[in-house]
Amino acid sequence: HTSANPNGPLHIGHGRNAIIGDSLKRVLEFAGYNVETHYYVNDMGRQMAIVVFGIDKFGLNDKKPDRAIAEVYIEANKYLEEHPEEEEKILNLMKEYEDACEKNIENEITEKFKNAVNYALKGIKETLKNINITHDTFIWESSYIRNGMVKEIIENLMKTGKVVKEDVYKLDLSDFGIEKKLVLARANGTSLYSTRDIAYHV
């Protein structure tokens, strides 16, 4: 539960989700269940690539860590709006990070992503602690790239014959009465949160 993107502090909606999640955990424990709470950490994708890009370009101020990350994220987004030619750098960061995770290697790019995410989480954990909420496990989205599960899921879905390549790879769900196709991967082969989420649920 909670699982807010590590690109800024928790807002009131995240707080609501954290309180509901923690309350459910306490009710289940009181009823005699063994409960393990997860915080699913979205360390991949465009938002975190923008954070990494922003830290490189502008650095971090000395505010509370999650606030500092939010401010650099906002500054980087403004910069990208004014300099759309720099957008390619974001796509390259996403691809380089995913490629490194797929090969299960550590390099300068993985360090930058890890440092940015952990810095944001430091502030987020402080906020959660202030309302007496803890998680047993922080599960990183990239772990499902590293262990090969995302690749395996995409390969299995490809075998169904229901995947179509348009501008991106999409899963046709019309047999289930769902008109909108589910995007599985970008044209450059990088995965999306949808496929990584499927891997987490599996």
Side-chain angles (χ1 to χ4, degrees):
H1 68 79
T2 311
S3 300
N5 287 334
N7 64 341
L10 301 179
H11 57 54
I12 193 72
H14 298 138
R16 172 186 177 274
N17 291 343
I19 290 163
I20 290 170
D22 190 67
S23 298
L24 286 170
K25 178 202 82 164
R26 290 167 189 249
V27 168
L28 288 165
E29 282 181 338
F30 184 79
Y33 290 93
N34 290 321
V35 183
E36 182 176 287
T37 51
H38 292 185
Y39 188 114
Y40 183 60
V41 181
N42 301 103
D43 62 308
M44 305 194 77
R46 180 177 163 75
Q47 289 184 330
M48 285 319 301
I50 291 171
V51 169
V52 169
F53 172 82
I55 292 171
D56 276 352
K57 191 150 197 69
F58 305 111
L60 288 165
N61 61 40
D62 58 358
K63 293 184 180 175
K64 186 168 172 273
D66 47 347
R67 181 63 186 265
I69 291 284
E71 290 190 7
V72 83
Y73 176 69
I74 291 163
E75 195 172 358
N77 270 296
K78 283 180 184 170
Y79 177 83
L80 289 166
E81 281 175 24
E82 293 163 8
H83 301 86
E85 71 280 1
E86 297 271 60
E87 192 62 47
E88 194 177 337
K89 290 182 179 177
I90 304 301
L91 294 172
N92 288 341
L93 277 171
M94 290 163 65
K95 179 126 182 62
E96 286 173 38
Y97 185 51
E98 184 156 342
D99 286 348
C101 290
E102 202 169 289
K103 292 170 187 161
N104 210 9
I105 59 171
E106 301 297 331
N107 59 23
E108 187 185 355
I109 293 292
T110 61
E111 276 304 299
K112 285 180 178 182
F113 273 79
K114 280 184 180 178
N115 289 341
V117 171
N118 279 322
Y119 197 64
L121 285 176
K122 185 180 174 187
I124 289 168
K125 286 176 184 177
E126 186 184 324
T127 301
L128 289 169
K129 187 181 175 186
N130 286 339
I131 52 174
N132 198 26
I133 292 175
T134 58
H135 290 79
D136 297 312
T137 310
F138 285 75
I139 297 177
W140 287 46
E141 193 178 9
S142 57
S143 64
Y144 298 101
I145 298 287
R146 289 182 180 277
N147 67 16
M149 279 190 74
V150 168
K151 190 175 181 182
E152 187 183 323
I153 280 162
I154 291 173
E155 284 172 358
N156 288 340
L157 289 170
M158 290 285 192
K159 289 173 191 171
T160 65
K162 300 289 183 188
V163 176
V164 292
K165 186 178 180 184
E166 294 172 3
D167 49 333
V168 290
Y169 293 96
K170 294 181 179 179
L171 180 65
D172 183 354
L173 298 167
S174 56
D175 288 354
F176 300 95
I178 300 169
E179 286 182 31
K180 190 175 179 182
K181 294 183 180 79
L182 177 70
V183 179
L184 296 179
R186 295 179 183 86
N188 68 358
T190 53
S191 62
L192 289 161
Y193 68 88
S194 51
T195 36
R196 298 190 291 266
D197 285 359
I198 291 168
Y200 170 65
H201 284 285
V202 169

